Amino acid sequence: MLWDIGLTLFNMVAPLKPAGSVVPAGFPGAGGLWPEYAPPGPGDSRCSCPGLNALANHRILPHSGRGISFRDLHAAVRSTYNFAPTFSFYVPNYIAGILGRSYWTDKFNLSDIDVHNGIEHDASLTREDTYLKHDQGQPSLPLIHELLACGTGPGGDLTAEDLSRIMGRRRADARRTNPQYSLSTFHKLFSSSNSAILLKMFGGSQKDLRTILLEERLPTGWQSSERHQMGLTMTAFQPIVMRIELGIKEEVDGSPHSRGGEKPKSS
């Protein structure tokens, strides 16, 4: 955290990267030129994260989605999406811990990370709950279309308020339809973090999000909206995460649902 705070302070005084030069020279996607896209084939491994699946679909990670080292995941996420080195280390290291593996020496398949209530969770905006549909590697087109349709920004772009509203609706729907529904405080914040990435990395762009969420493909010419020199730090990320989470008003049968997860008692 001290390292992350230091990077945040540096970002506050350092100039932003030019809009077309977020990806470092010599890395896939430099200048917006992404490696050729190919959707997954039979036997390829995919997960519940569209951003990671896109890396495999463009062969930034192995196209099979198998035998990926946690250290390679760190490097790919950092160069492609411009996460800070602290952030892009923390998440793969956390995944390795969930799987009982070593960040430094072990490998994984993309589908491995979808152990339920690890980083995968109920009430996702792009996936049906595990109880209802086991394969988290497959996006839910109805959920994604509903997400994209809720944008109220210019051109239908998503805002933080839009994400809070759709997440409240999604949590209520999941609670109603999934008899094994669970969403701890940690996973609520994790789901809000996933939603915040739609704003920080993609600027809430309707056009770009339609491509990344429905096709799991990086748009031609796209580069991350996060332009700070050291990338998006965990410290700088928290305000938008909390803005989304605290704006959620979960409703069940038209009535607000308490944050503690219990239905309000009738008087």
Side-chain angles (χ1 to χ4, degrees), residues 166-241:
I166 191 69
M167 289 176 68
R169 187 189 313 163
R170 176 73 179 105
R171 290 179 185 180
D173 288 345
R175 187 184 298 274
R176 184 179 63 253
T177 59
N178 179 359
Q180 296 181 3
Y181 173 80
S182 66
L183 199 66
S184 66
T185 299
F186 171 82
H187 286 107
K188 285 181 178 180
L189 292 173
F190 200 90
S191 69
S192 290
S193 296
N194 291 336
S195 296
I197 288 171
L198 304 183
L199 301 181
K200 295 298 291 184
M201 300 300 168
F202 293 91
S205 167
Q206 175 83 209
K207 176 176 176 291
D208 290 341
L209 289 174
R210 186 171 298 275
T211 300
I212 189 69
L213 296 179
L214 291 173
E215 302 178 47
E216 300 189 333
R217 174 174 65 84
L218 296 170
T220 302
W222 175 84
Q223 292 204 7
S224 176
S225 299
E226 171 54 49
R227 294 168 49 201
H228 285 102
Q229 286 288 338
M230 299 309 300
L232 178 63
T233 64
M234 294 182 286
T235 304
F237 192 47
Q238 296 315 305
I240 186 64
V241 173

Side-chain angles (χ1 to χ4, degrees), residues 165 167-176 248-258 263-264:
R165 186 174 63 257
M167 289 176 68
R169 187 189 313 163
R170 176 73 179 105
R171 290 179 185 180
D173 288 345
R175 187 184 298 274
R176 184 179 63 253
I248 293 172
K249 294 180 176 62
E250 185 180 336
E251 295 186 359
V252 177
D253 298 328
S255 301
H257 207 286
S258 68
K263 245 184 176 180

Side-chain angles (χ1 to χ4, degrees), residues 46-228:
R46 295 294 185 268
C47 66
S48 56
C49 177
L52 297 187
N53 291 343
L55 295 180
N57 291 338
H58 285 279
R59 294 187 173 84
I60 298 169
L61 293 174
H63 187 265
S64 67
R66 299 182 180 277
I68 303 167
S69 77
F70 294 100
R71 298 175 76 173
D72 285 346
L73 177 61
H74 170 130
V77 166
R78 172 145 171 69
S79 65
T80 300
Y81 298 114
N82 198 29
F83 282 98
T86 44
F87 208 148
S88 53
F89 166 77
Y90 173 80
V91 175
N93 187 55
Y94 181 78
I95 294 170
I98 289 174
L99 298 177
R101 302 178 193 178
S102 167
Y103 169 88
W104 303 104
T105 59
D106 287 338
K107 298 182 178 182
F108 69 102
N109 301 335
L110 285 177
S111 60
D112 292 345
I113 72 176
D114 283 336
V115 56
H116 186 50
N117 281 338
I119 64 169
E120 184 276 334
H121 55 80
D122 288 335
S124 165
L125 293 180
T126 67
R127 262 61 178 174
E128 300 290 350
D129 289 357
T130 297
Y131 175 82
L132 304 174
K133 182 177 182 181
H134 182 68
D135 184 5
Q136 292 294 302
Q138 293 295 320
S140 170
L141 302 188
L143 287 178
I144 294 171
H145 283 300
E146 183 180 8
L147 168 62
L148 294 172
C150 82
T152 61
D157 290 351
L158 295 175
T159 67
E161 291 71 25
D162 296 332
L163 291 168
S164 294
R165 186 174 63 257
I166 191 69
M167 289 176 68
R169 187 189 313 163
R170 176 73 179 105
R171 290 179 185 180
D173 288 345
R175 187 184 298 274
R176 184 179 63 253
T177 59
N178 179 359
Q180 296 181 3
Y181 173 80
S182 66
L183 199 66
S184 66
T185 299
F186 171 82
H187 286 107
K188 285 181 178 180
L189 292 173
F190 200 90
S191 69
S192 290
S193 296
N194 291 336
S195 296
I197 288 171
L198 304 183
L199 301 181
K200 295 298 291 184
M201 300 300 168
F202 293 91
S205 167
Q206 175 83 209
K207 176 176 176 291
D208 290 341
L209 289 174
R210 186 171 298 275
T211 300
I212 189 69
L213 296 179
L214 291 173
E215 302 178 47
E216 300 189 333
R217 174 174 65 84
L218 296 170
T220 302
W222 175 84
Q223 292 204 7
S224 176
S225 299
E226 171 54 49
R227 294 168 49 201
H228 285 102

